[in-house]
């Protein structure tokens, strides 16, 4: 379950990174340009950090990496979405199709990260209960007489 949730999170974060890379908008009297170009690469760098954090949580299955990756993903996706939507919010620019893909993937990434954090905690609790409820197996010494 954990592997499936974190794999989905890595894939969605990579798709969001690609969507942020190809997003462009246009204002009257100005040429087409991207948000990450206007913001000195901030949304792009944030999404690179999110992809790295998600991949690290998938690579090292520990409780702290899963919780940290979920927190980085929630904060990072909301920051990138804020940059994307808020850069020209009052000017109503024309957007390409990459904008819609970026908004969709970034808004989907935050709830998936919360699900990943809950799955991480639930998996650890279930595993602990399973280990505590089972009868421990002690090694037995066998005495052999000749």
């Amino acid at each position: 379950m954990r592997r499936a949730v974190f794999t989905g999170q890595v894939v969605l974060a990579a798709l969001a990174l690609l969507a942020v890379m190809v997003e462009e908008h246009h204002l009257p009297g100005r040429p087409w340009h991207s948000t990450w170009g206007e913001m000195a690469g901030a949304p792009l760098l944030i999404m690179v950090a999110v992809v790295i954090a998600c991949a690290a949580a998938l690579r090292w299955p520990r409780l702290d990496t899963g919780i940290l990756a979920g927190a980085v993903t929630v904060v990072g996706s909301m920051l990138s979405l804020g940059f994307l939507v808020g850069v020209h919010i009052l000017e109503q620019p024309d957007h390409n199709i990459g904008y819609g893909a970026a908004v969709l993937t970034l808004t989907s990434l935050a709830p998936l990260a919360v699900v990943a954090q809950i799955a991480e905690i639930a998996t650890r609790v279930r595993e602990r209960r399973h280990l505590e409820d089972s009868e421990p197996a002690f090694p037995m010494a066998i005495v052999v007489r000749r």
Side-chain angles (χ1 to χ4, degrees):
M1 178 172 110
R2 180 190 190 281
R3 183 172 297 273
V5 169
F6 279 102
T7 301
Q9 190 173 344
V10 169
V11 169
L12 194 58
L15 289 174
L17 173 66
L18 290 174
V20 167
M21 285 177 67
V22 300
E23 178 275 329
E24 288 186 335
H25 54 274
H26 164 63
L27 294 168
R30 295 188 198 169
W32 285 88
H33 58 281
S34 63
T35 301
W36 62 272
E38 276 184 318
M39 299 275 185
L44 191 62
L45 294 175
I46 290 170
M47 288 314 300
V48 167
V50 168
V51 170
I52 290 171
C54 295
L58 188 60
R59 175 74 174 106
W60 295 290
R62 296 184 352 213
L63 180 63
D64 56 343
T65 57
I67 300 289
L68 183 64
V72 167
T73 302
V74 169
V75 171
S77 64
M78 289 297 110
L79 276 175
S80 285
L81 184 64
F83 284 140
L84 198 69
V85 173
V87 67
H88 295 294
I89 196 165
L90 299 176
E91 297 170 313
Q92 298 177 348
D94 297 323
H95 299 283
N96 68 352
I97 196 163
Y99 178 81
V103 169
L104 181 65
T105 54
L106 288 172
T107 54
S108 302
L109 193 56
L112 182 62
V114 172
V115 168
Q117 287 180 323
I118 292 169
E120 181 74 10
I121 293 169
T123 302
R124 300 298 175 181
V125 168
R126 186 183 64 82
E127 287 175 357
R128 181 182 300 153
R129 285 187 185 157
H130 178 68
L131 290 174
E132 289 174 355
D133 291 343
S134 65
E135 186 67 32
F138 295 106
M140 299 180 76
I142 300 175
V143 179
V144 179
R145 292 186 148 180
R146 292 183 186 215

